[in-house]
Amino acid sequence: MQKITPIILAGGVGTRLWPLSRESFPKQFLKIDGTASLFQQTVQRFQTPGFTRPIIVTNEDYRFHVVEQMGEIGTLPELILLEPCLRNTAGAVLAAVQMQARRSPESLCVVAPSDHLISDPAGFSNALGKGVPAALSGKIVTFGIQPDRAETGYGYLELGEGNPDGGQPEPVLSFTEKPDLETAARMMAGGRHLWNAGIFLFRADVMQAAFDRHAPKIASPVTRALAANTLDLGFTRLDPDAWQDLPSISLDYAVMEHADNICAVPFDGHWSDLGSWQSYWREGCRSASANDGLVTIGNAHGIECEGSLLMSENADQTIVGFGLRDLVAVAMKDAVLVADRNRSDQIGTVVSFLKSKNAPQADIRPRDFRPWGWFEELVTGPGFKVKLITVHPRGVLSLQSHIHRAEHWVVVEGVATVTIGNQTLDLTANQSAYVPKGEVHRLENNGLSDTVLIEVQTGPYLGEDDIVRYEDVYARG
């Protein structure tokens, strides 16, 4: 049987799950329950003999998250395409399709978002298998979910006269994107509509031809962006000038609503896009431990609460709800959200408001992830800042200096190889080093376990942009 090439889309921001999901570290990479992230679960879904190594499409800021999380589950991508800026899903899909079509025009591809929950991988593989003959014959196959409610947050597929419960490919007559409640209820009652899961199976040449026919304004800049791509540390960077000319539009709007060779395979397994706190609440309600519709995550507790979701990300921070009804309350170190659960799909409005106030909490999480590890601010005051820094094995900070600040490093765990000026030394737990203002320096971890240190910065300006880089193994600008 011909192998299928997965195209995994991993560039989304997930603002509707603020404050947990933010631009600096969005929902697909989060490990909320301590197990695999949604991105890792998506990759693992295609780790069977029927699939090739995946093509990942992401952006500049997430490239090292992709590499690190794939390494954690012991797999490698075939290719990582970097988008210069966000332009929705149509351009991202076509870029991957064109790359695959160059190698094997008639090869099968499956497009999958990296932030959806599918708790029945075997059933999903079975549904894919049902779509293969149609895809090989030149159809574009999508996968639909049997609705169990009048949902206004999903798109809908209208099927032909066939049986949507039969599990076989059915012609798609129309797409409806996020209808109002009355329309959603009518479509659900009619029995001919499925939720659009945003997963597509097709031959590479068929999808390329569909773009050429229905979306030439997308095909042209994508072709130019690929033609002028550059390779950097194993990543394929799409040309930014050509990518700027790309319309920001979804695959559904660009192609699916216009093509006449679309069919759908019903998938009766459990699926959720986890696109809002409402959907997280519904997932929690599936648990036997949820009483009166109360869902608690982390160090969270509810007293006489109904239909609510309470979450604390920090084990040392307790959140208690009392007498709440249909609310979402999410507590993080630097931000707290309290919202009407039924309006949680509008949380993007909160993010826009915070951006208008130039609040860093709009985009940046307290823990700032870098290619070498992460850091977290512990305390900040006039003229000083204290950070907790973790450097992973083989992690290397750039060779750099600072114009406005000095730094004092105290190692608390592991071994740090420190370069200050012309001197290099190894520091172990309870040892420290001082980096004067303006001195060229670097820190790296050559050990087999994490290096953990406390950094104390002092100076009149302590912004992250006070960095002059001389060398960087991660090729950051």
Side-chain angles (χ1 to χ4, degrees):
M1 181 178 176
Q2 181 178 346
K3 289 192 174 183
I4 302 171
T5 297
I7 298 172
I8 299 176
L9 307 180
V13 176
T15 56
R16 288 187 296 166
L17 284 176
W18 186 90
L20 189 65
S21 175
R22 307 188 203 179
E23 188 173 334
S24 66
F25 201 70
K27 68 170 182 171
Q28 60 264 32
F29 302 116
L30 296 171
K31 300 177 182 178
I32 296 176
D33 57 1
T35 58
S37 68
L38 291 173
F39 171 75
Q40 290 174 318
Q41 292 177 41
T42 304
V43 172
Q44 290 173 324
R45 210 171 291 141
F46 301 112
Q47 283 188 293
T48 66
F51 300 95
T52 69
R53 294 193 304 185
I55 297 174
I56 312 294
V57 187
T58 188
N59 64 51
E60 175 82 14
D61 293 337
Y62 308 148
R63 65 196 191 281
F64 294 109
H65 299 326
V66 167
V67 172
E68 180 178 351
Q69 293 206 351
M70 292 190 76
E72 288 176 354
I73 58 175
T75 189
L76 292 170
E78 179 64 26
L79 179 70
I80 300 178
L81 287 173
L82 299 183
E83 298 178 89
C85 57
L86 292 178
R87 285 294 185 266
N88 216 312
T89 58
V93 170
L94 182 57
V97 166
Q98 287 193 358
M99 290 293 285
Q100 182 63 18
R102 292 176 183 179
R103 306 173 184 184
S104 178
E106 296 187 358
S107 59
L108 287 180
C109 303
V110 57
V111 168
S114 63
D115 56 356
H116 290 186
L117 176 67
I118 297 177
S119 55
D120 181 13
F124 174 73
S125 294
N126 182 54
L128 275 181
K130 292 178 180 178
V132 165
L136 287 173
S137 71
K139 299 288 187 181
I140 298 175
V141 182
T142 186
F143 296 85
I145 312 300
Q146 189 71 48
D148 60 9
R149 62 186 182 276
E151 173 63 56
T152 60
Y154 298 154
Y156 285 73
L157 311 169
E158 181 188 8
L159 304 188
E161 297 297 334
N163 178 14
D165 297 323
Q168 297 301 318
E170 298 285 346
V172 174
L173 301 184
S174 68
F175 285 75
T176 302
E177 183 65 17
K178 297 181 180 178
D180 58 38
L181 185 60
E182 181 181 350
T183 303
R186 186 172 63 251
M187 290 192 296
M188 181 180 173
R192 289 173 49 187
H193 287 80
L194 302 174
W195 288 337
N196 182 8
I199 301 171
F200 304 96
L201 177 69
F202 49 79
R203 281 195 345 232
D205 58 343
V206 169
M207 181 58 77
Q208 188 165 318
F211 270 96
D212 290 340
R213 178 181 177 186
H214 302 293
K217 291 184 178 180
I218 295 173
S220 177
V222 168
T223 300
R224 289 187 283 113
L226 277 174
N229 79 79
T230 57
L231 295 177
D232 182 11
L233 300 178
F235 303 104
T236 300
R237 295 179 182 272
L238 298 166
D239 179 68
D241 292 333
W243 204 257
Q244 287 287 347
D245 296 334
L246 187 66
S248 181
I249 187 172
S250 70
L251 179 62
D252 286 343
Y253 281 131
V255 173
M256 296 301 163
E257 292 188 357
H258 309 288
D260 56 5
N261 59 337
I262 312 293
C263 64
V265 173
F267 172 59
D268 57 7
H270 180 66
W271 167 90
S272 173
D273 73 340
L274 292 180
S276 67
W277 288 115
Q278 176 86 304
S279 60
Y280 260 93
W281 172 77
R282 286 199 179 96
E283 286 303 307
C285 287
R286 298 177 69 238
S287 168
S289 61
N291 297 316
D292 296 323
L294 174 64
V295 176
T296 58
I297 303 173
N299 190 3
H301 311 277
I303 302 171
E304 299 178 15
C305 295
E306 299 179 13
S308 297
L309 184 149
L310 306 175
M311 177 180 180
S312 173
E313 187 196 37
N314 191 334
D316 296 326
Q317 183 179 33
T318 301
I319 180 172
V320 179
F322 179 60
L324 303 180
R325 184 181 181 87
D326 297 335
L327 289 182
V328 170
V330 180
M332 295 185 65
K333 178 182 178 180
D334 66 333
V336 176
L337 170 72
V338 180
D340 182 334
R341 176 175 57 78
N342 294 306
R343 297 186 62 186
S344 62
D345 61 344
Q346 302 170 29
I347 297 301
T349 303
V350 174
V351 178
S352 298
F353 171 80
L354 291 174
K355 286 184 176 181
S356 72
K357 301 295 183 182
N358 296 317
Q361 292 88 345
D363 300 319
I364 302 172
R365 288 171 54 90
R367 180 167 293 184
D368 197 334
F369 291 89
R370 299 300 171 93
W372 42 260
W374 55 266
F375 70 81
E376 187 171 334
E377 292 185 15
L378 301 180
V379 61
T380 301
F384 77 93
K385 180 183 292 184
V386 182
K387 290 181 177 179
L388 174 66
I389 299 177
T390 294
V391 183
H392 297 320
R394 298 177 298 281
V396 183
L397 279 67
S398 61
L399 186 67
Q400 60 185 249
S401 65
H402 308 293
I403 298 173
H404 302 287
R405 72 175 183 253
E407 295 176 340
H408 193 160
W409 292 332
V410 181
V411 177
V412 296
E413 185 178 318
V415 179
T417 300
V418 176
T419 298
I420 304 174
N422 296 321
Q423 183 182 14
T424 300
L425 64 157
D426 289 333
L427 302 179
T428 58
N430 297 318
Q431 294 183 317
S432 63
Y434 175 68
V435 182
K437 180 175 65 175
E439 186 68 84
V440 177
H441 61 282
R442 188 201 320 257
L443 185 147
E444 52 194 303
N445 179 3
N446 296 317
L448 300 177
S449 59
D450 285 348
T451 295
V452 182
L453 62 144
I454 301 296
E455 177 182 271
V456 181
Q457 302 177 359
T458 57
Y461 178 73
L462 305 173
E464 288 302 319
D465 56 348
D466 181 22
I467 297 178
V468 180
R469 283 196 175 98
Y470 304 98
E471 295 177 8
D472 184 39
V473 299
Y474 307 109
R476 291 171 291 177

